[in-house]
Amino acid sequence: MAEKKKIKAKAKTKPSSKAGGADEKGLTIRVCLGTGGLAAGSQEVIDTFRSELHARGLGADVEKKCVNKTGCRGFCAKDVLVDVIIDGNLSTYQFVNPEKVGRIVEDHIINGKPVEEWLVGPEYHTFHDKQTKILLKQCGQIDPEDINAYIEIGGYEGAKKAISLTEFEVIEEVKKSGLRGRGGAGFLTGLKWEFCSMSRSETKYIICNADEGDPGAFMDRSVIEGNPHSVIEGMIIGGYAIGAGIGYIYIRAEYPLAIERLKIAIAEATDKGFLGKNIFKSGFDFDIRIKEGAGAFICGEETALIASIEGKRGMPRSKPPFPVNKGLRGKPTVINNVETLANLPTIITKGAKWFSSIGSEQSKGTKVFALTGNIRNTGLIEVPMGISLKEIIYDIGGGMEKKNRELKAVQTGGPSGGCIPASHIDMPVDYESLMRIGSMMGSGGMVVMDNATCMVDMAKFFISFTQNESCGKCVPCRIGTKRMLEILTRITEGNGKEEDIDLLIELGTDIKLSSLCGLGQSAPNPILSTINFFREEYESHIKKGICPAGVCKALRQYVVDTTSCKMCGKCARVCPSGAIIWLPKQKAFIYKSKCIKCGACFDACPFKSIT
Amino acid sequence: MPEKKIKKVKIDGTEVVCERDETILEAAKKAGVEIPTLCHDDRLEPYGGCRLCIVQVKGVGRPLPACTTPVTNNMEVCTENEAITRIRKNLISLLLSNHPNDCMRCEKTGDCALQDLAYKYEVDSSRFKGEQWDLPIREDNPFITYEPNKCILCGRCVRICNEVVMAGTIDLVGRGFNSMPDTAFRKPRSLDNCEFCGQCVSTCPTGALTDRKGRGKGRSYDMTKVRTTCSYCGTGCNFDLNVKKGKVIKVTSAYDTPVNHGNLCIKGRYGYDFIHSADRIKTPLIRRGDSFYEATWDEAIDLIADKFTGLIKKYGNKSVGAFSSSRCTNEENFLIAKFARTVFKNNNVDNCARV
Ligand SMILES: Cc1cc2nc3c(=O)[nH]c(=O)nc-3n(C[C@H](O)[C@H](O)[C@H](O)COP(=O)(O)O)c2cc1C
Ligand code: SF4
Ligand code: SF4
Ligand code: SF4
Ligand code: FES
C-alpha cells in the first residue's frame, strides 16, 4: 500500500508533458530512455539538456516541458538517440553524449542550425521505412510514465469500446482479426478466449506472459517500457471478453524498469477509474497484479508459469487439462503474450478488417523482432507478417556488419527455432513458412549469421542454453539435451565419431517426440536444422578435423605461410608454449605437437602470415 | 452432476468401456494390456515425467503419455510399435547413462522397475556415454538411505511426501541435469522436517531410497511376504512382513491392501524391532510375591476366569467390565464386547481410543 502511494506521488510530481507535441515555443526534445538508452547514458544526456537549457536562460518551465522521456525506438545500435523538434521540424541525433549536448543546444536550438555531422544517416531512415509500426509506433514517441500522453493519442478508447460491446462481440472481433499468439505457438487468440469463455466458473483469470526468457530477446520488455498502458488496456479487453476479474502480469525480476513503469501505469489507470471496481462505469470490475518471476526460461511455459504464480516449483504439467479449462488455482485462465495483448486496443478501435488487411494469408498483423548478430543495424523492428527475410536483412538491417562477409544463415525463434540458410532468403516470414522450414516464429528473436559463423558451434550454444534451463521433469529433455550437448562438444573438439550425426538425428527426433513440454519438444531444432542444411560442416569437423569457419579452437591448426612471412619473429615471442621455432632471418615454424591453439601468434603477426 | 458419458476405447484392438475420465493407462489395465511406467503410482496424481508410457493414438501426430492422457470416445490406441519401442529404448538408455548400474550390490535387485525395463527392452548403458553423477550416499537419518546416483527423478518420493503425507519434506531442487529430490537447503532428513514414515521409500522404483534397517539383509526374492494387520492402532492397515529365515527383515505394503492402499506410518513401517527383541514378553506372567513367573496360557486364563467368577459371586455381575485396546483389530474389539455382554451379562464395555 505504502509503495502504491509512493508511485502515485511520483506519477504526479514528474513533469507533465504533452505527447509528442511541441510546447508553446514550438520546441520538443525527445530522449530515448529504454533500457538500451539508459545503458548508453541517456539519463545523463537528459540532465545535461536540462542544465544547458537552464544555463542559457531558458526557464525551468520550458525545460520541464521540452524534455520528454520516451521508450525504446528500436535502433539500439545508435543510442543515445535524441529528437529535436522545432516548429514541427524533426532532426534526430545519434550517439549523443553529455559532451555533445552543449553544441546541440547552442547551434541548433539557439541559432537554428542543426549539427549536421551528428545527425543520423540514411540507414536510420531505411531502417524505419520498411517497417510497419503498430505496437512500436508510440514507443519512443510518448512518455510511458504519463497516462495522459497515452490518452491523448487515443489510449483506452479500445477498452471503453470493448466494454460497450457484449463479450461475445469482442471475441468475434478478435477472431475475425486473425490475431495469433505472439508468445511462440501462434494459437488464434480469439479462439483461445472463446474456449475460456465457454468454461463455466465464477472466478477466471487472465495472465500476461512477460517472462521473455529467450537469450537476446527484448521485444516484450521494450513494449512494456515504451508503452505499458497498451498492455494494460489489452488485458482489460481480454479480461472483459472472458469474464476474468483479475489479471496477473508475470514478469521477470531482471526487468526492473519495466516493472517500475507497469506499477506507475497501474496506479495511474486505477486513479482514472480504468482499473478497479466498476470500470468505465460499466459494472465490470478488473484488477491487475504483478508477479515477479525469478528468471527461469521454463517459467515462460504456461503451465510452469501458473505453478510459479501458485508458489510451486516452475515445472510444466501435461495438457489436457488446458489452462482455459483448468489454469491458475484450478480456474479457467487465459495466458497471452505481451505483444499479443498490446495489439488488442488497436484491433478494437480500428476494427478486425483493418488489422487483417496487414500481413499474409494466415498470419495477420505485424511482428516485432529483435534483430541481432552480424548485421549492420541491430535493434528492434516491427514488420508486417509475410515480409521476406531478404527485406528484413538487407533493407532494414542494412546487410552484413562486415563488408567482406556474406550472409550464411538466420536463426529465428531463439533456442527453440531453427536456422534458415541464405539460399532461402526469399521466403516470407510467417508462422507456416517458418514451421515448414524447421524453424519457428518463437517470440521474435532473429539472429543473423555471416560466413564466419560455425554452425556446429552455433547449435552448441543454443543446446547448452536449453539443457541448462530444462526443468528436469522429463527424461528426454533432462538427460537427452545433456547428451546432445556432449556429442556436439566432442565434435567441436575434434573427437567426433562418424556415427555421431546419425545419433544426433535419432536422439533429436526422439526428444522432440517424447518430451513433455515445448522446451524439450523444440530444443533439438537448432541441431536438426543445422544438420539438415549444413551437414557437410559437421562432416568436416568429424572426418577432416577442420572447422570450415575457423571458429572451433580445438580444431584450428596454426601454420606459417612461408611466402608472406617477413621473419620478424613476433609470433615466437608471444607463443606461451614455446611451439614456434624462429631464428633471425629465418621463417618461423610452428610445432604442431607443442601448439596449444591459443591464437596468440595469429593475433601478433603484423603480416597475416599465420593461418 | 454431469451425466455419465460412456466412452468406448480400443487398446491394441481390445475394446473396453470407460465411464469416468479414465486415463489411457487405466483403460489399458482394464483391457489387460501392460504399458511400461516408471513415474506412475496409483496412489499419486498423474505426472508424465518418465515418458516411458507413451503410446500412439490414432489420428494424433505425436505419441502421448498414457498415464496423463484421458480417454475420449472411439479412441484407438496402439501401445507398442517400432517408433515407440525405439523411443522407449532410448529413454531407458538415457536413464542408464546417468546411473551407477550397480545391480550386483544393489538392495533393489529383483524388485527394481528400471532393471526390469532394461531387461525387457534389452538395453544397457553403452549407447550414451557422458557425465555421470558422483554424489555421496546419504545416511543422515536412522530409517532412510538415499543414494542419489540411483535416482531417476521420477518424482514419486516428492509427490507422495506432498500429496499423501503432506509433510512437504522434499521437493525437486536444482535445474536441468542436476535436478534431484532433496530437502530444503539439502539438510538431513530429521524430526524437524520429516515424519520418517518411509512413504518415499515405498514408492521409489529404484534403489535410490531404501529402508536402512533392512540393508544388506537380503533381496526381496529371498523373503517370504506374510500379510498381517498392523497392531499399533485401530486403523487396521495391512502390510507384509518380509521374512527371511524366520526373521522379519522389513515391512512393505501393497496397493491392494483395502484400508491403506500401501500407505503406512512410521510405526507400521519401522516399528517392528520388538518382534525379535530379547526383552519381548512371550508368555503370560503371573505375580508371585514380589516377582513374576512365566506361566502357560491355560494357567493364566484359568486364573483370570477364577478371579472374575469370584468377583461376580461376591459383588454381582455389574462389578466387572471389559476394557479393550485400540491396538486390537475391529474383530477382537467386537469379541471382547460380546464376551462382556454374554459372559459378564452387562454393558460395561470400553476402549482406550477416545482421543
Ligand atoms: C520453454 C517455453 C518458454 C516460453 N517462454 C515464453 C515467454 O517468455 N513469453 C511468452 O509470451 N510465451 C512463452 N512461451 C509460450 C507460452 O507457453 C504460451 O504459449 C504463450 O504465452 C501464450 O500466449 P500467446 O497465445 O499470446 O502467444 C514459452 C513456451 C515454452 C515451451
Ligand atoms: S521438456 Fe524439459 S522443460 Fe519441459 S517438462 Fe520436460 S524436462 Fe521440463
Ligand atoms: S519419510 Fe515420510 S515425511 Fe519423510 S520424506 Fe519420506 S514421505 Fe516425506
Ligand atoms: S528417489 Fe526414487 S522415488 Fe524419488 S525421484 Fe528418485 S527414483 Fe524417484
Ligand atoms: S508413467 Fe507416464 S510418464 Fe511416467
Side-chain angles (χ1 to χ4, degrees), chain B residues 113-268:
Chain B
L114 183 63
Q115 192 185 46
D116 292 348
L117 282 175
Y119 181 79
K120 179 173 171 197
Y121 284 92
E122 300 175 319
V123 285
D124 59 22
S125 62
S126 63
R127 182 139 209 229
F128 305 104
K129 287 253 182 278
E131 186 186 329
Q132 277 197 21
W133 285 4
D134 184 16
L135 299 165
I137 296 183
R138 301 257 286 266
E139 290 200 299
D140 45 27
N141 77 75
F143 299 109
I144 300 162
T145 299
Y146 177 27
E147 298 181 59
N149 296 342
K150 292 181 181 168
C151 171
I152 57 166
L153 251 87
C154 64
R156 282 161 65 165
C157 53
V158 168
R159 284 176 291 140
I160 207 157
C161 187
N162 291 287
E163 289 173 22
V164 178
V165 187
M166 297 192 167
T169 308
I170 42 179
D171 202 340
L172 292 184
V173 301
R175 269 194 207 178
F177 187 71
N178 295 318
S179 323
M180 64 184 277
D182 212 331
T183 53
F185 312 110
R186 301 183 193 254
K187 282 192 185 155
R189 276 175 234 234
S190 70
L191 277 176
D192 295 339
N193 56 25
C194 174
E195 310 257 324
F196 293 132
C197 57
Q199 285 280 84
C200 47
V201 178
S202 80
T203 189
C204 183
T206 71
L209 289 170
T210 46
D211 292 322
R212 191 166 168 195
K213 291 202 288 186
R215 280 174 71 89
K217 298 195 176 135
R219 262 71 171 263
S220 70
Y221 49 76
D222 298 329
M223 298 179 222
T224 323
K225 286 189 173 170
V226 181
R227 178 144 313 180
T228 184
T229 303
C230 183
S231 59
Y232 278 111
C233 81
T235 306
C237 298
N238 285 179
F239 55 62
D240 297 317
L241 297 169
N242 289 228
V243 183
K244 183 180 164 187
K245 294 193 182 139
K247 285 236 153 142
V248 176
I249 307 294
K250 60 180 180 184
V251 169
T252 56
S253 182
Y255 183 70
D256 66 6
T257 50
V259 175
N260 52 312
H261 287 311
N263 298 312
L264 291 175
C265 75
I266 179 174
K267 294 179 286 181

Side-chain angles (χ1 to χ4, degrees), chain B residues 229-237 323-336 350-353:
Chain B
T229 303
C230 183
S231 59
Y232 278 111
C233 81
T235 306
C237 298
F323 194 88
S324 87
S325 166
S326 60
R327 291 175 60 165
C328 299
T329 63
N330 250 351
E331 293 76 2
E332 288 161 337
N333 279 316
F334 173 78
L335 283 176
I336 197 84
D350 207 351
N351 184 291
C352 69

Side-chain angles (χ1 to χ4, degrees), chain A residues 145-397:
Chain A
E145 295 182 14
D146 181 5
I147 193 170
N148 293 317
Y150 182 63
I151 293 173
E152 253 177 67
I153 55 157
Y156 288 102
E157 285 304 319
K160 228 178 273 175
K161 184 170 166 197
I163 290 177
S164 72
L165 303 171
T166 65
E167 293 89 336
F168 176 78
E169 284 167 335
V170 176
I171 292 177
E172 278 307 301
E173 193 69 10
V174 177
K175 269 168 76 182
K176 261 193 269 165
S177 75
L179 174 68
R180 294 169 69 170
R182 304 294 196 239
F187 195 80
L188 280 166
T189 305
L191 203 59
K192 192 188 272 189
W193 288 11
E194 186 172 62
F195 288 148
C196 190
S197 76
M198 288 187 311
S199 279
R200 255 168 253 280
S201 169
E202 287 273 304
T203 316
K204 290 184 190 177
Y205 299 102
I206 182 164
I207 300 175
C208 167
N209 188 345
D211 190 54
E212 196 166 51
D214 295 25
F218 54 96
M219 298 74 60
D220 296 346
R221 188 188 71 199
S222 300
V223 170
I224 294 179
E225 286 177 1
N227 194 358
H229 286 288
S230 63
V231 180
I232 293 172
E233 190 180 354
M235 288 182 77
I236 297 174
I237 298 169
Y240 173 74
I242 61 164
I246 294 173
Y248 281 89
I249 301 178
Y250 187 87
I251 181 163
R252 51 179 42 224
E254 289 97 323
Y255 283 178
L257 181 63
I259 294 171
E260 176 69 16
R261 291 200 172 151
L262 274 175
K263 285 185 181 165
I264 293 172
I266 291 172
E268 284 183 320
T270 312
D271 263 1
K272 292 258 180 209
F274 300 161
L275 287 175
K277 291 253 174 286
N278 189 20
I279 65 175
F280 301 108
K281 306 202 172 56
S282 62
F284 174 57
D285 304 339
F286 190 70
D287 268 314
I288 293 183
R289 298 174 189 164
I290 295 177
K291 176 84 193 171
E292 290 179 36
F297 177 54
I298 191 58
C299 287
E301 196 281 337
E302 50 191 16
T303 55
L305 186 153
I306 287 173
S308 173
I309 294 185
E310 288 172 348
K312 301 183 193 135
R313 177 179 162 96
M315 275 201 317
R317 60 157 176 80
S318 293
K319 295 179 272 190
F322 291 93
V324 286
N325 298 318
K326 257 187 172 183
L328 183 60
R329 305 183 188 107
K331 305 292 180 200
T333 304
V334 155
I335 298 174
N336 275 132
N337 168 260
V338 170
E339 206 185 315
T340 316
L341 290 165
N343 264 305
L344 286 155
T346 338
I347 291 179
I348 298 295
T349 44
K350 294 199 180 175
K353 230 191 189 146
W354 164 81
F355 186 81
S356 63
S357 70
I358 305 164
S360 67
E361 189 57 36
Q362 288 180 60
S363 306
K364 299 298 181 193
T366 59
K367 176 82 192 87
V368 181
F369 286 100
L371 193 59
T372 53
N374 314 122
I375 194 162
R376 233 176 111 105
N377 306 333
T378 57
L380 208 63
I381 60 166
E382 182 174 355
V383 290
M385 295 269 192
I387 188 175
S388 75
L389 262 184
K390 194 174 184 174
E391 286 170 281
I392 295 184
I393 295 168
Y394 289 101
D395 297 341
I396 300 173

Side-chain angles (χ1 to χ4, degrees), chain A residues 313 470 482 486 506 510 514, chain B residues 51 86 90 127 131 176:
Chain A
R313 177 179 162 96
S470 159
K482 171 87 179 169
E486 287 168 342
E506 183 180 322
D510 286 359
S514 62
Chain B
R51 315 308 282 173
R86 184 196 70 225
N90 277 335
R127 182 139 209 229
E131 186 186 329

Side-chain angles (χ1 to χ4, degrees), chain A residues 549-568:
Chain A
V551 172
C552 299
K553 252 191 166 174
L555 292 179
R556 273 268 352 208
Q557 287 191 0
Y558 291 98
V559 284
V560 179
D561 172 19
T562 45
T563 53
S564 63
C565 171
K566 299 270 186 301
M567 302 178 265
C568 70

